[in-house]
């Protein structure tokens, strides 16, 4: 009995990994599916008028993932020079994220599925005064993002690619 359960689990994990491998190059469709699930979660919370603690936990987790996505893999404050160029004359080095885009999407996808699953059980519908959670979430977001932007300014990096550099005709 245990062997058949382990074999079924291995087969399921193999199918899951194959689906992830097939989804990897399709960035836009992955995020569209995630957005659709997020909208479904938001509609469930709105219609049921509950599960605010689940929504709050989901929001805090997403904020944590987003900060990881914006952060460099090597923090110059903790580990010395990060490989980021300090001057315009330094060699260009690409920005390496602490949390790559695919891992960001995968963790976000699992989080929204878990949040949706939590809305199926009334045990997670804890009565709470939701305006306090909203204020606290936005306050925490403001503080964390301000800190991240200050870090980006201090070490002079942008975690986004703004396209190819354009040079004047000469």
């Amino acid at each position: 009995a245990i062997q058949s359960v382990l074999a079924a689990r291995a087969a399921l994990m193999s199918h899951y990994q194959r689906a992830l491998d097939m989804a990897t190059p399709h960035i836009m469709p992955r995020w569209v599916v995630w957005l659709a699930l997020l909208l479904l979660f938001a509609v469930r919370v709105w219609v049921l008028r509950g599960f605010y603690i689940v929504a709050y936990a989901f929001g805090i987790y997403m904020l944590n993932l987003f900060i990881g996505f914006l952060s460099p893999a090597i923090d110059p404050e903790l580990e010395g020079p990060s490989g980021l160029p300090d001057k315009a004359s330094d060699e260009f080095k690409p920005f390496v994220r602490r949390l790559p885009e695919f891992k960001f999407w995968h963790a976000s996808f699992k989080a929204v599925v878990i949040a949706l699953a939590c809305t199926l059980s009334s045990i997670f519908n804890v009565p709470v005064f939701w305006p306090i959670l909203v204020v606290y979430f936005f306050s925490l977001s403001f503080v964390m993002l301000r800190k991240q932007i200050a870090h980006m300014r201090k070490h002079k990096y942008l975690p986004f690619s703004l396209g190819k550099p354009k040079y004047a005709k000469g």
Side-chain angles (χ1 to χ4, degrees), residues 42-115:
V43 166
R44 277 194 62 80
V45 169
W46 180 263
V47 168
L48 296 174
R49 300 270 189 237
F51 299 99
Y52 300 121
I53 212 77
V54 173
Y56 176 73
F58 173 72
I60 294 295
Y61 183 69
M62 289 303 300
L63 178 62
N64 182 37
L65 289 177
F66 186 62
I67 295 294
F69 180 71
L70 293 178
S71 300
I74 298 172
D75 189 353
E77 290 180 354
L78 300 176
E79 301 178 28
S82 66
L84 295 171
D86 289 337
K87 303 177 214 98
S89 62
D90 286 352
E91 178 183 346
F92 170 76
K93 295 175 186 161
F95 181 78
V96 179
R97 299 178 187 283
R98 186 174 67 187
L99 183 65
E101 183 272 335
F102 183 78
K103 289 183 179 182
F104 177 44
W105 170 82
H106 189 226
S108 301
F109 183 80
K110 289 188 293 187
V112 76
V113 168
I114 290 169

